[in-house]
Amino acid sequence: MMPLIVVVYDSINHSIFEGQVLTPLIKRLNLNLCTTVHLISFEHEINDATQLLKKRFESIDSRITITLFKRNRFIHTSLFFKDIKTVKTFVKSFPTYQLMARGPLAGYITKKAATKNCTSVTIQARGLLAEEYAYIHQNKEGKLSLLHRMRLHQLYAVERQAYQPFKKSIPFFIETVSPALQEYLETTYNAPSKAFIESLFDIPDAISDDLKKHYRTQRRTELGITPETTVYVYNGSLKPWQCTQETINHFLTIQKTNPTAFFVALTPDTVEMTQLLQKNAVSYDSYRVLCALDHTTVMEYLCAADYGFLLRVKHPMNWVSRPTKLLEYQAAGITIIHNNTIALLSLVMTEKVLS
């Protein structure tokens, strides 16, 4: 058993950081899979991250230390040299250690920073960086400008180098969230099938029936929702592929047959969500918009719901995913309403599918 060094490149100031990064690391520690965790986070806004660290995460677990470094703009992989040197310098103080990276950018850096004292390298594959970029930057005809095509080529190159076989004689693993994602990485980037392991530590524990009843009563009372009201929840930000407008449209359809149906939005984008609900003439008496930042509070509000919306655009980045919201809905024991655009949900028979 030895220290685990984790490299994060998408900031600690992220809605999923507590539930999907810190909590799984604590589970590893509790199972004695490592002695301590040393998390390195590269931050665009290091001052903001420093303040957040002091406010929320410094005392979360004495076995975890978080070190922040400045993240520069990604223009070319050659500019990762500084980050690689930073990680390599950091790990040199450990006689032996394990390395873990979250996503392909951190994975690219970590693979190059690993020294001979490293006993294993694990890259956590959580999605498709290049496919997401292509979707965000395409025009109405689904095409990319020359500049965006050049950028897309760079991102494909980073993912390819992150997930291809490791040339160093160090055990190499790819922790993936779905069979569909493994298949994509094997087919697209020639990732070695023997390297794949299933991601399990980031699956939230199911909430007990008694605790769920408690939270259901507590949060419904807080929101002024009666016990018999059917509650539908939208959980997450308002990214273009998350079908927010389609979700509201479907809720309005539900209200035609169930006028007392209630809509709860848990989102960091509270202003945008409120404006969208008002634009669609959803009565204030039938919705609430909340900004629940920490994972525990999100789960408590989810226990007040009966159904959770998880609509996504039909696209490879969604098909291979295992959204955090999916895991949270399942842990809260609420029925998922989806549109069959996520491979994992197509395998489960208890969710409600929209045609």
Side-chain angles (χ1 to χ4, degrees):
M1 191 170 62
M2 61 195 69
L4 173 63
I5 299 171
V6 181
V7 180
V8 175
Y9 218 69
D10 54 0
S11 180
I12 67 170
N13 191 17
H14 194 290
S15 60
I16 65 169
F17 180 74
E18 184 177 355
Q20 292 291 294
V21 179
L22 282 181
T23 300
L25 292 175
I26 293 172
K27 288 182 181 180
R28 291 177 185 273
L29 286 163
N30 291 341
L31 289 172
N32 295 320
L33 297 180
C34 52
T35 53
T36 54
V37 170
H38 303 268
L39 190 146
I40 299 170
S41 182
F42 289 93
E43 301 282 344
H44 282 306
E45 302 294 336
I46 198 162
N47 290 333
D48 291 346
T50 300
Q51 292 302 315
L52 180 64
L53 181 59
K54 291 178 180 179
K55 184 178 179 181
R56 292 184 60 193
F57 301 133
E58 272 195 339
S59 60
I60 192 163
D61 193 298
S62 61
R63 298 168 295 177
I64 298 177
T65 60
I66 302 177
T67 305
L68 307 177
F69 293 102
K70 178 66 178 177
R71 174 180 171 178
N72 300 308
R73 291 184 63 84
F74 169 44
I75 300 173
H76 190 271
T77 52
S78 61
L79 297 181
F80 281 140
F81 172 78
K82 182 179 178 182
D83 299 336
I84 294 167
K85 184 178 180 181
T86 295
V87 176
K88 186 170 288 189
T89 300
F90 187 93
V91 302
K92 281 183 178 178
S93 62
F94 297 88
T96 57
Y97 60 90
Q98 309 164 70
L99 268 176
M100 178 177 287
R102 185 173 176 84
L105 294 174
Y108 179 95
I109 293 166
T110 300
K111 285 176 74 175
K112 292 185 177 296
T115 68
K116 62 181 180 180
N117 294 335
C118 181
T119 61
S120 68
V121 172
T122 301
I123 298 179
Q124 296 179 314
R126 294 295 180 267
L128 300 177
L129 180 66
E131 292 283 3
E132 180 178 321
Y133 181 88
Y135 180 82
I136 292 173
H137 293 95
Q138 66 186 359
N139 60 23
K140 293 180 179 179
E141 288 73 40
K143 297 180 180 180
L144 297 172
S145 67
L146 176 60
L147 183 61
H148 286 317
R149 290 201 303 272
M150 292 172 61
R151 182 63 160 180
L152 183 62
H153 178 75
Q154 286 181 320
L155 296 177
Y156 276 126
V158 168
E159 286 191 309
R160 184 174 296 106
Q161 292 190 53
Y163 296 125
Q164 278 187 341
F166 201 11
K167 293 181 181 179
K168 296 180 182 179
S169 58
I170 300 172
F172 174 56
F173 304 98
I174 302 172
E175 188 183 278
T176 187
V177 295
S178 72
L181 180 55
Q182 176 176 338
E183 180 182 0
Y184 182 98
L185 296 179
E186 286 183 315
T187 303
T188 307
Y189 297 126
N190 195 32
S193 58
K194 63 181 181 181
F196 284 94
I197 56 176
E198 185 178 0
S199 172
L200 298 173
F201 290 100
D202 53 358
I203 299 177
D205 296 329
I207 298 176
S208 68
D209 290 341
D210 289 342
L211 199 54
K212 181 178 177 179
K213 289 177 183 177
H214 169 73
Y215 289 143
R216 183 180 178 90
T217 300
Q218 180 187 49
R219 294 303 183 180
R220 283 190 174 221
T221 300
E222 172 195 328
L223 297 174
I225 303 172
T226 62
E228 63 274 10
T229 298
T230 305
V231 176
Y232 296 79
V233 66
Y234 176 97
N235 182 22
S237 55
L238 274 63
K239 298 288 177 60
W241 59 86
Q242 293 179 316
C243 299
T244 313
Q245 181 61 60
E246 291 83 350
T247 297
I248 293 174
N249 291 344
H250 187 65
F251 176 72
L252 290 171
T253 300
I254 290 170
Q255 278 198 316
K256 291 178 180 179
T257 56
N258 182 8
T260 63
F262 202 91
F263 184 82
V264 174
L266 302 173
T267 176
D269 305 319
T270 54
V271 174
E272 295 85 346
M273 175 59 86
T274 301
Q275 290 173 343
L276 195 57
L277 288 164
Q278 293 173 345
K279 179 182 176 181
N280 285 271
V282 181
S283 169
Y284 178 74
D285 293 336
S286 61
Y287 76 84
R288 294 290 183 272
V289 178
L290 307 168
C291 182
L293 293 177
D294 64 275
H295 173 69
T296 301
T297 306
V298 168
M299 295 307 301
E300 290 179 10
Y301 279 113
L302 290 183
C303 289
D306 301 290
Y307 295 91
F309 283 112
L310 193 56
L311 309 186
R312 292 293 185 267
V313 168
K314 187 176 182 180
H315 192 275
M317 67 176 178
N318 290 321
W319 184 249
V320 306
S321 69
R322 188 181 68 186
T324 303
K325 315 313 168 190
L326 185 159
L327 302 177
E328 291 174 341
Y329 289 160
Q330 290 179 328
I334 62 178
T335 300
I336 299 172
I337 299 175
H338 68 96
N339 55 344
N340 205 27
T341 55
I342 299 169
L344 279 178
L345 278 173
S346 70
L347 301 175
V348 182
M349 302 304 294
T350 58
E351 285 76 17
K352 184 174 181 180
V353 182
L354 301 183
S355 58

